[in-house]
Amino acid sequence: MNPLSARRRRTAALFGAALVVVAAAACGSSGDSSADKSASTVGPTGADGRPVTAPVKPPPPAKVLMPTGPTTSFTTARTTPAGPILMTSYTGPKSGVTAKVWVWLPPEYHDPAYAKHGFPVLTLYAGGQSNGYNTWTDDQLPIQEIATQEVKAGRTHPFIMVMPVQNLEKAESRSLECSDIPGQPKMGTWMSQDIPDLVKANFRTLRSPEGWGLMGGSTGAFCSVKLALQHPEQFRAAVPIDGYFNPDSPLWKGHEAERLANSPDQLIGAGTARIDVLATAGGANLTEVRLVKAFVAKAAPPVRIEYYEQPGGRHLTAHFKRMIPDMLGWLGKHLSPPTAD
């Protein structure tokens, strides 16, 4: 037999077989049987043989919280080189407390380039009784001008600054210690819920607690770290400047359990608050240094705490002022910058 002819016959036979297979596949693919459909299904199926549809993931929540309203009427309390400080008298719907609140918006807030940005919020507490005043609003602690300079130098980022009063009476024997002391005005609720709600209602803010911080000097230091430890769902960072940490208002008399529940000395070691803290002391005041260091030593994770000692520092507003640039720099590293979705 001619070898060439044999090869041709084998090739023809293979080609014919291939045609048969293709034809069978074509016949099997035409028609509308359920078996054919299940054979062509791609992906997982349930017990009934039907395809399982993967759940659609919801989009991540927006980072920016636009003003929710209702809007509040603010007046200009003071004009500074860094812009006006606004003021309102606000009644908190959750606490029933009525008191003054000051707000400062950084220049970037009104910049068209930031029109869709939410801004971090820094709440500032004063020393002493802070009844009808807040030292962060005047020349004693001109944090607004200093912040503007530090932002321009690239050492921090812009913050909305909120400055509420802390007490409703001048007498220290009536100190509310930013708490809900039984039988007294609910200043703790006003500070931790009503004030943030006021800010969210009127200004572009950030939804996450990483956009909310607290800072205060002396009595205000107590308030800042106490509220952050109690409300990590709202606040992420606190800077207590030369503070104390054990509630001592005479109004706690007869309410020891509630007093301890509002004690930073107790809360710092509870291991329940994921916050960042920078606790400071004036180096010239050895009693204060020992007090603050003892507080820092009690911290338990997830709290992250740092200690800052001002060389030669004393418990004076003028010395608090010197630390403002460093404190703003620290806050710029621990709180989110202005953000757009």
Side-chain angles (χ1 to χ4, degrees):
M1 179 182 291
N2 188 325
L4 180 59
S5 298
R7 284 197 298 273
R8 286 175 177 169
R9 283 195 295 272
R10 286 197 297 272
T11 300
L14 290 172
F15 182 72
L19 286 175
V20 172
V21 172
V22 171
C27 292
S29 63
S30 64
D32 197 28
S33 71
S34 59
D36 293 335
K37 286 184 178 180
S38 63
S40 63
T41 299
V42 177
T45 58
D48 59 359
R50 295 182 178 180
V52 176
T53 303
V56 178
K57 291 183 179 180
K63 295 178 181 179
V64 176
L65 182 63
M66 301 303 284
T68 60
T71 58
T72 301
S73 177
F74 287 85
T75 59
T76 299
R78 178 170 171 257
T79 300
T80 77
I85 295 177
L86 309 175
M87 190 272 288
T88 191
S89 181
Y90 178 63
T91 300
K94 295 178 180 177
S95 66
V97 170
T98 300
K100 292 180 180 179
V101 185
W102 292 264
V103 175
W104 175 76
L105 302 174
E108 292 80 5
Y109 189 88
H110 301 291
D111 186 335
Y114 286 83
K116 296 183 179 180
H117 285 64
F119 282 72
V121 178
L122 177 61
T123 303
L124 300 164
Y125 301 117
Q129 277 296 97
S130 183
N131 169 48
Y133 70 90
N134 188 304
T135 48
W136 296 99
T137 67
D138 57 34
D139 290 334
Q140 296 181 75
L141 292 168
I143 190 170
Q144 296 83 15
E145 292 103 297
I146 296 172
T148 301
Q149 296 164 6
E150 294 300 299
V151 169
K152 288 181 179 179
R155 291 187 285 264
T156 192
H157 52 65
F159 299 93
I160 294 173
M161 295 185 184
V162 184
M163 297 146 284
V165 303
Q166 289 143 235
N167 287 285
L168 306 179
E169 299 182 40
K170 294 181 179 179
E172 290 191 11
S173 62
R174 304 292 299 170
S175 177
L176 297 172
E177 292 193 306
C178 298
S179 303
D180 288 357
I181 301 176
Q184 304 299 325
K186 294 183 177 181
M187 190 58 75
T189 298
W190 195 72
M191 295 290 197
S192 64
Q193 299 181 48
D194 288 332
I195 296 299
D197 287 348
L198 168 69
V199 178
K200 293 173 185 177
N202 289 276
F203 307 106
R204 302 190 308 275
T205 59
L206 296 175
R207 197 176 296 274
S208 165
E210 280 80 359
W212 295 77
L214 308 168
M215 183 164 73
S218 192
T219 304
F222 173 92
C223 291
S224 67
V225 73
K226 183 193 87 81
L227 291 168
L229 286 165
Q230 288 180 318
H231 300 281
E233 78 287 350
Q234 176 62 58
F235 308 109
R236 180 46 46 86
V239 181
I241 301 172
D242 299 13
Y244 72 99
F245 309 102
N246 189 34
D248 60 6
S249 170
L251 297 176
W252 290 111
K253 185 176 180 180
H255 306 288
E256 182 63 9
E258 292 86 350
R259 188 188 74 83
L260 292 175
N262 285 274
S263 171
D265 257 340
Q266 301 292 317
L267 295 166
I268 193 73
T272 57
R274 189 172 74 86
I275 62 170
D276 295 311
V277 179
L278 177 61
T280 84
N285 189 330
L286 297 182
T287 300
E288 184 174 272
V289 167
R290 287 193 291 267
L291 178 70
V292 177
K293 283 186 173 181
F295 175 70
V296 170
K298 294 177 182 178
V303 171
R304 296 178 294 189
I305 194 165
E306 300 175 49
Y307 172 72
Y308 176 95
E309 187 172 307
Q310 184 185 24
R314 306 182 69 150
H315 198 90
L316 299 169
T317 302
H319 288 217
F320 298 169
K321 178 181 175 180
R322 297 175 190 172
M323 290 190 282
I324 291 175
D326 288 334
M327 303 302 99
L328 288 172
W330 186 89
L331 286 162
K333 295 176 182 176
H334 290 82
L335 292 176
S336 299
T339 305
D341 286 331

